[in-house]
Amino acid sequence: MNLDVNHENSTNPALLADLHRILGTHQILSDPLDLLVYECDAYTLEKKVPSVVVLPNSTLEVAEIVRCCKKHQVAFIPRGAGTNLSGAILPIENAVIISLSRMNKVLQVDIENRRALVEAGCVNIWITHAVRSAGLLYAPDPSSQTACTIGGNVATNSGGPHTLKYGVTTNHVLGFEIVLPEGEVIWLGATMEGGEDTGGLDLRGAAIGCEGMFGIVTRVLVNLIPAPQSWRTLLGVFSSVDDASQAVSDIIASGIVPAALEMMDQLITQAVEAAYKFGFPLNAGALLIVELDGLEADLENQAVEVERLCLANHANEVRRARTDKQRADLWKCRKRAFGAIGRLSPNFLTQDGVVPRSKLPEIMRFIQQTSAKYGLRIPNVFHAGDGNIHPLILYNETHAEEVDRAVKAGNEILDRCLELGGSVSGEHGIGVEKAGFMEKQFSKADIEAMKSLRRIFDPEQRCNPRKMFPNGKRCMDFAPRRQISV
Amino acid sequence: MKLKPTTQTELSSMLARASSDLTPIAAVDLTHFDQIVEHCREDLTATVQTGMRFQSFQETLEKHGQWLPLDPPPSENLTVLDVLNHDLTGPRRYAFGKARDYVLGLKVVLADGTIIRTGGKVVKNVAGYDLGKLFIGAGGSLGILIEATFKLLPRPRSERFLYRTCASGPELQTTLAAIKHSPLRPSVMDCCRLEGLPASGDLVALVLGFSGTSAEVESQTSQAAGFGFCQAIDLDYDRRFWSSRARESVRTLSVTPKSVASTIKSLLPSPFLCRAGNGIIYMAHSGESAVSPENTVLEHRTKKTFDPNHILPRLPSRL
């Protein structure tokens, strides 16, 4: 196969004609103005306007589109809500963008078996909304959960604050329907009517987190869990990030498993407070949000122990959410923290490295040094309990030199994560952004094995090509242009 | 051919040779791979060579108040590799899940001798594909796992197991549903009809287990009494079920939790062991073994990719 990599944006007229035979006019976008929305995801450093976007209404239509792409030997890219943070759905190679946004229904809820069948474009939080009255919820809760779709969650194996205790997407997806790049529709894992074990190879598990490179996920069977009986939500107020990091390490080592354990440093707290007015202390060096949930019987003891560990690490005070509303407000602030960054800077680049939890104090000190070294502000809001950092490197994209410094600072932080025995991505994925890091984290043999797995699903490698793996040509050399102006 | 390598390099060249000579590997003895490579206590992670006895591994972790919350039937010679290759679980699966929920990384020797690593040693990691999932429960059909890194949990400070008898059919169905809708959060929800447990005619034994702090376990135990669970029991019934029969002679059914009661009724009076919360039913199969469904095209393609010369065991059966 010879993909047309250097081609200027243009739609093959024969392909477009075929797509029109499959879909209604309102399901095909090819007007440059309509397409602008699809030029990037939430990773905005690289952009490219696609040549055509299709909006199927059914698995059948997806399969026909995929077969049409095969016939014309063009690439295609699945797209949910576009909240990805690593450029995993960056349009390249004149690929057809297949947006699942119209396939967004909760199809079936089975309370007794605690499962729900939803379409790939269904927004994450809608599942919990649909089952909340039965005392159930869908556990993985990415900060973007009011927008991101379950198909995208499957593609990136999404996490969220509460995955510390409850696990990530792969732990909660029983099975799914996927349209393979050759046009065949198959189901992997458990079915709506079947038991949770299926025997054979766990291709379900192997495909979750494939960053949309194995096919188009169209329907997903998710597992539901009972909502926790009770909770305690604490806010530890610390003078320094160092003390807060040590408290995290001590809480984990103590044997308590919090539902969530999140940190916000002073810079992000000030921005969040200015935006959402929760009443955070503005002079604190770092805040820890610790949520304990489960059976009422022992929660208070655990809460007291967490308070003790915070105070032992020099917390100035430990506050508690007293009402459901306070708790909900606190989480709203945490989950919308990225949105408050606009108050600090026109642009930001977020990293998603992971370190062993005991190395948290060390990586946080390194981030502070990196900030000083590059003269860039780097606020932090992240999943401390998992050792999953999210430094937000602030820059102004109109200063080319500042963009370079931001990229360099980010790379150094990720290099350090690897040196400490960690990973370059805990939940955002590799996409185009971190493809260059794969060879640092994995051996050539490891990467070859991954590529072999991909070819099992997509022999021609037309599904979301040129992502994840380092290419002979850097992405930027052939397709997306760096963003140079707003 | 039986392999008993002393180092990973030796295993690698043994497999490379077998691959080029098209010699099927009958068994691999990893006796020499029996060490804990690293136990990061404060991170709650551990890397272990898979030839280590599973019990020894757990005992080491227990000294530090930690465990890998997988509880395959206790057996002297069971290795970490057995647990991973056959995705073994036990009664606590209801609350704690399966191997795939705890494996952070693997080191695998592929059929051609190539050594690869999947995942890593941190608790959250989406870099690259989740290749590790392919090998867990694959019965060694795609490669030989020699090292695994696990996420660990603090060992529950207290555990208690209780049982009652229950008529199969609608009463069982109602009882299971009532427990699920109650504030009880059992770690074990088993149902069985086995020797040594009072069950006769239409009756089956229903087991609930609670794991947690003493306060949690106590409060749950007293609530469970309201559902008729007053008799203490230990998990020996599980061990006895598995020790009295070869694993190959056990037939596994996987149904939705909702259909557990009706499925069980149709099996009586044969002995069975059921993870009622998960819908998994184990029974000694009588007469000829049931025909399992064919492996899928994609599974065969996977086998062909990772073991083109078919020197490793065949694909695990589908249920």
Side-chain angles (χ1 to χ4, degrees), chain A residues 212-384:
Chain A
M213 298 167 80
F214 290 2
I216 312 276
V217 171
T218 41
R219 288 190 295 164
V220 184
L221 180 66
V222 300
N223 185 44
L224 306 168
I225 63 166
Q229 212 176 75
S230 199
W231 49 264
R232 295 285 187 284
T233 307
L234 295 86
L235 184 71
V237 181
F238 294 81
S239 304
S240 72
V241 167
D242 220 31
D243 287 342
S245 305
Q246 194 54 51
V248 170
S249 211
D250 289 356
I251 291 168
I252 295 296
S254 78
I256 293 173
V257 184
L261 183 42
E262 303 277 307
M263 197 191 300
M264 291 171 37
D265 70 6
Q266 185 167 25
L267 201 48
I268 193 78
T269 302
Q270 288 171 348
V272 167
E273 186 58 26
Y276 309 126
K277 315 221 173 353
F278 177 77
F280 288 117
L282 294 175
N283 55 351
L287 301 177
L288 267 194
I289 303 172
V290 189
E291 184 152 286
L292 303 159
D293 72 12
L295 298 169
E296 180 56 36
D298 201 49
L299 271 188
E300 189 52 33
N301 292 338
Q302 292 181 32
V304 168
E305 178 63 6
V306 167
E307 274 167 349
R308 192 188 68 75
L309 290 167
C310 287
L311 294 170
N313 281 294
H314 321 296
N316 303 325
E317 57 170 325
V318 182
R319 299 182 189 176
R320 287 208 194 188
R322 298 285 170 196
T323 61
D324 276 340
K325 181 168 185 315
Q326 272 181 1
R327 174 186 179 232
D329 286 348
L330 181 60
W331 279 115
K332 204 186 279 174
C333 289
R334 161 61 189 92
K335 290 187 177 177
R336 287 158 73 197
F338 281 23
I341 290 294
R343 293 177 176 263
L344 297 176
S345 168
N347 305 88
F348 70 90
L349 172 66
T350 181
Q351 287 302 354
D352 174 43
V354 192
V355 293
R357 302 180 267 207
S358 55
K359 305 286 188 204
L360 205 54
E362 199 171 334
I363 192 72
M364 293 315 293
R365 280 194 290 271
F366 184 81
I367 292 170
Q368 286 168 353
Q369 289 158 13
T370 308
S371 166
K373 176 177 168 187
Y374 286 99
L376 295 170
R377 290 176 301 162
I378 309 183
N380 290 277
V381 48
F382 63 103
H383 312 306

Side-chain angles (χ1 to χ4, degrees), chain A residues 75-78 87-90 92 210-214 454 458 461-467:
Chain A
F76 54 93
I77 302 174
I89 50 166
L90 182 74
I92 49 180
C210 72
E211 301 199 9
M213 298 167 80
F214 290 2
R454 179 190 185 187
D458 183 9
Q461 300 172 67
R462 276 182 301 103
C463 188
N464 203 12
R466 307 242 175 217
K467 304 289 163 65

